[in-house]
PDB file of all heavy atoms in Angstrom:
ATOM      1  N   GLU A 145     104.422  81.587 187.344  1.00 98.00           N
ATOM      2  CA  GLU A 145     105.704  82.064 186.812  1.00 98.00           C
ATOM      3  C   GLU A 145     106.468  80.936 186.130  1.00 98.00           C
ATOM      4  O   GLU A 145     107.049  81.119 185.054  1.00 98.00           O
ATOM      5  CB  GLU A 145     106.561  82.645 187.934  1.00 98.00           C
ATOM      6  CG  GLU A 145     106.078  83.974 188.469  1.00 98.00           C
ATOM      7  CD  GLU A 145     106.889  84.448 189.663  1.00 98.00           C
ATOM      8  OE1 GLU A 145     108.022  83.948 189.850  1.00 98.00           O
ATOM      9  OE2 GLU A 145     106.392  85.307 190.404  1.00 98.00           O
ATOM     10  N   ALA A 146     106.466  79.768 186.738  1.00 98.00           N
ATOM     11  CA  ALA A 146     107.171  78.618 186.162  1.00 98.00           C
ATOM     12  C   ALA A 146     106.534  78.208 184.841  1.00 98.00           C
ATOM     13  O   ALA A 146     107.234  77.883 183.879  1.00 98.00           O
ATOM     14  CB  ALA A 146     107.160  77.449 187.143  1.00 98.00           C
ATOM     15  N   ALA A 147     105.212  78.231 184.777  1.00 98.00           N
ATOM     16  CA  ALA A 147     104.520  77.868 183.537  1.00 98.00           C
ATOM     17  C   ALA A 147     104.841  78.865 182.431  1.00 98.00           C
ATOM     18  O   ALA A 147     105.080  78.484 181.278  1.00 98.00           O
ATOM     19  CB  ALA A 147     103.015  77.802 183.775  1.00 98.00           C
ATOM     20  N   ALA A 148     104.875  80.150 182.766  1.00 98.00           N
ATOM     21  CA  ALA A 148     105.197  81.176 181.768  1.00 98.00           C
ATOM     22  C   ALA A 148     106.631  80.999 181.264  1.00 98.00           C
ATOM     23  O   ALA A 148     106.902  81.107 180.061  1.00 98.00           O
ATOM     24  CB  ALA A 148     105.009  82.568 182.367  1.00 98.00           C
ATOM     25  N   ALA A 149     107.553  80.721 182.174  1.00 98.00           N
ATOM     26  CA  ALA A 149     108.944  80.514 181.773  1.00 98.00           C
ATOM     27  C   ALA A 149     109.066  79.284 180.883  1.00 98.00           C
ATOM     28  O   ALA A 149     109.816  79.284 179.901  1.00 98.00           O
ATOM     29  CB  ALA A 149     109.831  80.367 183.008  1.00 98.00           C
ATOM     30  N   SER A 150     108.312  78.253 181.207  1.00 98.00           N
ATOM     31  CA  SER A 150     108.349  77.030 180.405  1.00 98.00           C
ATOM     32  C   SER A 150     107.818  77.290 178.995  1.00 98.00           C
ATOM     33  O   SER A 150     108.390  76.831 178.009  1.00 98.00           O
ATOM     34  CB  SER A 150     107.513  75.949 181.094  1.00 98.00           C
ATOM     35  OG  SER A 150     107.492  74.777 180.323  1.00 98.00           O
ATOM     36  N   ARG A 151     106.720  78.051 178.906  1.00 98.00           N
ATOM     37  CA  ARG A 151     106.161  78.388 177.586  1.00 98.00           C
ATOM     38  C   ARG A 151     107.151  79.215 176.780  1.00 98.00           C
ATOM     39  O   ARG A 151     107.342  78.989 175.584  1.00 98.00           O
ATOM     40  CB  ARG A 151     104.849  79.158 177.740  1.00 98.00           C
ATOM     41  CG  ARG A 151     103.643  78.299 178.005  1.00 98.00           C
ATOM     42  CD  ARG A 151     102.359  79.084 177.852  1.00 98.00           C
ATOM     43  NE  ARG A 151     102.284  80.249 178.711  1.00 98.00           N
ATOM     44  CZ  ARG A 151     101.877  80.247 179.966  1.00 98.00           C
ATOM     45  NH1 ARG A 151     101.501  79.118 180.531  1.00 98.00           N
ATOM     46  NH2 ARG A 151     101.840  81.360 180.670  1.00 98.00           N
ATOM     47  N   ALA A 152     107.784  80.174 177.428  1.00 98.00           N
ATOM     48  CA  ALA A 152     108.753  81.032 176.739  1.00 98.00           C
ATOM     49  C   ALA A 152     109.920  80.200 176.217  1.00 98.00           C
ATOM     50  O   ALA A 152     110.382  80.395 175.087  1.00 98.00           O
ATOM     51  CB  ALA A 152     109.253  82.124 177.681  1.00 98.00           C
ATOM     52  N   ARG A 153     110.381  79.269 177.020  1.00 97.00           N
ATOM     53  CA  ARG A 153     111.501  78.417 176.585  1.00 97.00           C
ATOM     54  C   ARG A 153     111.106  77.541 175.410  1.00 97.00           C
ATOM     55  O   ARG A 153     111.863  77.388 174.455  1.00 97.00           O
ATOM     56  CB  ARG A 153     111.982  77.559 177.758  1.00 97.00           C
ATOM     57  CG  ARG A 153     113.045  76.569 177.376  1.00 97.00           C
ATOM     58  CD  ARG A 153     114.287  76.749 178.207  1.00 97.00           C
ATOM     59  NE  ARG A 153     115.296  75.772 177.847  1.00 97.00           N
ATOM     60  CZ  ARG A 153     116.330  76.043 177.073  1.00 97.00           C
ATOM     61  NH1 ARG A 153     116.498  77.247 176.588  1.00 97.00           N
ATOM     62  NH2 ARG A 153     117.230  75.119 176.804  1.00 97.00           N
ATOM     63  N   ARG A 154     109.897  76.952 175.477  1.00 98.00           N
ATOM     64  CA  ARG A 154     109.442  76.110 174.365  1.00 98.00           C
ATOM     65  C   ARG A 154     109.302  76.921 173.086  1.00 98.00           C
ATOM     66  O   ARG A 154     109.651  76.460 172.009  1.00 98.00           O
ATOM     67  CB  ARG A 154     108.116  75.430 174.715  1.00 98.00           C
ATOM     68  CG  ARG A 154     108.265  74.264 175.656  1.00 98.00           C
ATOM     69  CD  ARG A 154     107.027  73.394 175.677  1.00 98.00           C
ATOM     70  NE  ARG A 154     105.807  74.132 175.888  1.00 98.00           N
ATOM     71  CZ  ARG A 154     105.248  74.373 177.060  1.00 98.00           C
ATOM     72  NH1 ARG A 154     105.803  73.931 178.163  1.00 98.00           N
ATOM     73  NH2 ARG A 154     104.117  75.052 177.148  1.00 98.00           N
ATOM     74  N   LEU A 155     108.814  78.154 173.200  1.00 98.00           N
ATOM     75  CA  LEU A 155     108.679  79.019 172.037  1.00 98.00           C
ATOM     76  C   LEU A 155     110.052  79.345 171.455  1.00 98.00           C
ATOM     77  O   LEU A 155     110.249  79.293 170.231  1.00 98.00           O
ATOM     78  CB  LEU A 155     107.946  80.304 172.419  1.00 98.00           C
ATOM     79  CG  LEU A 155     107.692  81.304 171.296  1.00 98.00           C
ATOM     80  CD1 LEU A 155     106.863  80.668 170.195  1.00 98.00           C
ATOM     81  CD2 LEU A 155     107.006  82.537 171.842  1.00 98.00           C
ATOM     82  N   TYR A 156     111.004  79.665 172.324  1.00 98.00           N
ATOM     83  CA  TYR A 156     112.368  79.954 171.873  1.00 98.00           C
ATOM     84  C   TYR A 156     112.953  78.750 171.136  1.00 98.00           C
ATOM     85  O   TYR A 156     113.529  78.891 170.053  1.00 98.00           O
ATOM     86  CB  TYR A 156     113.230  80.321 173.083  1.00 98.00           C
ATOM     87  CG  TYR A 156     114.707  80.306 172.797  1.00 98.00           C
ATOM     88  CD1 TYR A 156     115.310  81.324 172.074  1.00 98.00           C
ATOM     89  CD2 TYR A 156     115.504  79.249 173.240  1.00 98.00           C
ATOM     90  CE1 TYR A 156     116.666  81.304 171.799  1.00 98.00           C
ATOM     91  CE2 TYR A 156     116.864  79.220 172.970  1.00 98.00           C
ATOM     92  CZ  TYR A 156     117.431  80.248 172.254  1.00 98.00           C
ATOM     93  OH  TYR A 156     118.772  80.216 171.974  1.00 98.00           O
ATOM     94  N   LEU A 157     112.796  77.562 171.711  1.00 98.00           N
ATOM     95  CA  LEU A 157     113.344  76.359 171.084  1.00 98.00           C
ATOM     96  C   LEU A 157     112.657  76.057 169.761  1.00 98.00           C
ATOM     97  O   LEU A 157     113.310  75.629 168.796  1.00 98.00           O
ATOM     98  CB  LEU A 157     113.221  75.160 172.033  1.00 98.00           C
ATOM     99  CG  LEU A 157     114.108  75.231 173.280  1.00 98.00           C
ATOM    100  CD1 LEU A 157     113.803  74.074 174.215  1.00 98.00           C
ATOM    101  CD2 LEU A 157     115.578  75.243 172.894  1.00 98.00           C
TER     102      LEU A 157
END
Side-chain angles (χ1 to χ4, degrees):
E145 288 175 19
S150 178
R151 279 192 303 275
R153 175 123 179 101
R154 283 196 309 268
L155 182 59
Y156 166 75
L157 292 174

